[in-house]
Amino acid sequence: PITIRRDLDYFEEKNLIERYHGGASLSKVNFTTNIFSSSLTMNKHAIAKAAARFVEDGDTIFINTSSTALLLTEYIKAKQVTIITNNGKAIFTKSNEGLFIVLTGGELRMPKESLVGDFAINNLNRVKATKCFLGCSGISAEGGFTTAVLQEVAINEIMLKNTTGLKIVLADTNKVGKTHSFLSGSISELDYLITDTNSDFEEVEKLRKMGLKVLKVPIT
């Protein structure tokens, strides 16, 4: 049962299933933009590339377990940048010279390879970042900035609290307008949402009316 719940959490976070009491069903998503498609991969890279332009020389930045946020390591051109992350996959990333990656440590949670728990939280509480780049399971005007994984809420909250500058959420079209089980932060705590041009227009306008700056990047 523990393994099944863990796997269901993972598939829900990827928007592949919809949970209900006692079970789950396949998500009714457009298969041209689902998690396995090349178009979604292009979305993620386009978003990460746009986000990397916000990074300046000497920045210390937070990145959470988001696969999109971790792609920043491929696009950051600034020098002497330190990345603090609880994303275990950071070990295998391609990064530019002058980019320093520091893992929070903590309990390794599979299958996402995220680092969570008291050890990670205590280490994050010792750091102040100039900017943060956070992925999510969903972001919406009604539900805020949410995740499908309970253990990652505290990590996201601390990264937001300990960021002195811009707080940026990265979310592809499948996540904009969605609300998941656990609230990581309110829209008022965020500065920017970077998404792709396929994201729902009405939802984006609602977020803008709440004061969130939204950058929609084309897929190239």
Side-chain angles (χ1 to χ4, degrees), residues 12-13 15 17-19 136-149 173-185 187 203 206-207:
E12 182 181 29
E13 184 179 11
N15 296 318
I17 63 170
E18 295 176 358
R19 302 277 295 273
C136 61
S137 300
I139 183 168
S140 67
E142 182 178 353
F145 164 47
T146 56
T147 178
V149 183
T173 184
N174 281 350
K175 297 175 181 177
V176 175
K178 302 295 192 302
T179 300
H180 280 264
S181 302
F182 305 107
L183 180 66
S184 289
I187 300 301
E203 186 64 35
K206 288 179 184 177
L207 291 167

Side-chain angles (χ1 to χ4, degrees), residues 199-218:
S199 292
D200 183 80
F201 176 82
E202 291 184 4
E203 186 64 35
V204 166
E205 289 307 302
K206 288 179 184 177
L207 291 167
R208 283 175 170 155
K209 287 179 181 177
M210 296 179 72
L212 185 64
K213 299 180 183 71
V214 181
L215 177 60
K216 297 179 77 172
V217 298

